Amino acid sequence: MKISELFAKKVPTLSFEVFPPKTSDTYESVKTAAEHIAALKPDFMSVTYGAGGGTSRYTLNIASDIETRYGVPTLAHLTCVSSSRNTVRDRIKNMIDRGIKNVMALRGDIPESMANDDRTNWHYNHAVDLIRELKESDGDFCIGGACYPEVHPESVNQKEDIKHLKEKIDAGCEFLTTQMFFENNLFYNFMYKIREAGITVPIVAGIMPITNAKQVERAIKLSGSHMPQRFKALVDHFGTNPAAMKQAGIAYSTDQIIDLLANGINAVHVYSMNKPDVAAAIQNNISEIIPKKK
Ligand code: FAD
């Protein structure tokens, strides 16, 4: 099923994310975690793409496993910046062969080894180039893209960032998923700005449950997201007690999600980090708001 068809129903959706293993020895444990999350019957699941693409086949294996065995629509991520045109075309062909219908088209982070390159030699400079490639391919994909309520770290300002976001939509991107955020007001502000800029596609709010203190530093480094004082207090107070921190982190995310749904945001994506227990806890916490599917 195309994810655009889900959004067209205009009912609230809850989706989860898994990331593929980096090496073959952890493949089975990641696959099992993904299957446990799929058994929760979320509206869809996304499967990320290892930076640089070294583990691309795991993304497709896990995505098609979830879809065929659990009937949960999947969104396979694909990045382009460090790949040649031929490699990307091969990966798109693999997606078509595996029956993948939904693709998250991303640029990917620029690897350090490419930082001083002459970028005019790159086959893909931005996600929009990949979106165009997907649209020109034989696949009839529903294409998603990434967006940044707190501005992409490389952008000169939010106006420029939103201008390029609009280019992705004009090229055929049908929905956008946000970078994680911990302060809903920043997201609402972003929504006003993109709607004003003529971006009308569904926006999926990305929520990351922080369940241990170590994750905080990593999450900030990866996303550059603002950590509100209210959240910092949880980490300061419960960070040394793993069980308490986990409970507090899940409660914080649940609170964010309920506020989003109460304010008319229909699509929530949980960065569930291959943790079925965290995904299940959040799903249970809002089970009267978004009933679990049979
Ligand atoms: P782009 O849309 O290309 O934007 C990158 C920067 O370039 C922005 O500053 C933008 O304003 C600017 N820009 C865009 N177009 C133009 C243009 N035409 N001219 C000039 N400037 C332009 N990474 C992975 O490796 N694997 C994943 O699976 C993955 N999944 C992600 C999922 C989500 C929801 C998000 C938010 C991020 C994900 N990432 C993933 C990280 C992502 O690859 C990085 O954030 C990357 O730095 C930017 O990717 P993008 O697709 O947003 O790039």
Side-chain angles (χ1 to χ4, degrees), residues 178-213:
T178 73
Q179 179 60 283
M180 65 184 85
F181 58 89
F182 301 94
E183 173 70 84
N184 286 5
N185 284 338
L186 295 170
F187 170 78
Y188 296 136
N189 225 316
F190 171 72
M191 287 296 287
Y192 287 130
K193 289 182 183 160
I194 59 170
R195 295 305 190 213
E196 222 170 75
I199 296 175
T200 55
V201 297
I203 306 296
V204 185
I207 298 296
M208 164 79 93
I210 300 280
T211 53
N212 64 68

Side-chain angles (χ1 to χ4, degrees), residues 48-49 77 106-109 126-127 148 152 155 161 164 168:
T48 67
Y49 191 80
H77 291 206
L106 299 145
R107 184 198 69 179
D109 284 327
H126 300 289
Y148 302 83
H152 186 274
S155 291
D161 209 20
H164 296 309
K168 295 205 273 196

Side-chain angles (χ1 to χ4, degrees), residues 130-149:
L130 176 59
I131 294 167
R132 292 188 183 120
E133 184 84 59
L134 286 159
K135 290 302 280 185
E136 282 165 15
S137 74
D138 294 334
D140 175 25
F141 297 115
C142 165
I143 303 171
C147 65
Y148 302 83

Side-chain angles (χ1 to χ4, degrees), residues 39-191:
L40 299 171
K41 301 251 175 230
D43 289 288
F44 69 91
M45 279 173 72
S46 70
V47 187
T48 67
Y49 191 80
T55 58
S56 65
R57 73 175 189 286
Y58 297 146
T59 298
L60 293 193
N61 286 352
I62 292 174
S64 29
D65 180 61
I66 293 168
E67 189 129 7
T68 37
R69 292 190 55 198
Y70 292 86
V72 174
T74 54
L75 170 63
H77 291 206
L78 178 63
T79 69
C80 60
V81 75
S82 53
S83 301
S84 69
R85 201 163 285 279
N86 281 343
T87 304
V88 167
R89 286 183 178 164
D90 272 355
R91 293 195 170 137
I92 294 174
K93 185 175 177 308
N94 288 343
M95 287 180 157
I96 297 171
D97 293 346
R98 302 290 289 266
I100 300 287
K101 295 183 192 70
N102 305 292
V103 183
M104 183 68 153
L106 299 145
R107 184 198 69 179
D109 284 327
I110 297 168
E112 263 180 48
S113 59
M114 291 172 66
N116 299 318
D117 280 7
D118 172 1
R119 296 187 181 197
T120 56
N121 292 329
W122 291 356
H123 291 185
Y124 302 92
N125 278 273
H126 300 289
V128 70
D129 304 327
L130 176 59
I131 294 167
R132 292 188 183 120
E133 184 84 59
L134 286 159
K135 290 302 280 185
E136 282 165 15
S137 74
D138 294 334
D140 175 25
F141 297 115
C142 165
I143 303 171
C147 65
Y148 302 83
E150 297 176 63
V151 185
H152 186 274
E154 289 165 38
S155 291
V156 279
N157 56 46
Q158 191 167 46
K159 206 170 162 200
E160 277 295 299
D161 209 20
I162 292 177
K163 186 180 106 185
H164 296 309
L165 208 50
K166 177 79 167 58
E167 288 163 4
K168 295 205 273 196
I169 306 305
D170 294 342
C173 179
E174 292 174 66
F175 67 94
L176 295 166
T177 303
T178 73
Q179 179 60 283
M180 65 184 85
F181 58 89
F182 301 94
E183 173 70 84
N184 286 5
N185 284 338
L186 295 170
F187 170 78
Y188 296 136
N189 225 316
F190 171 72
M191 287 296 287

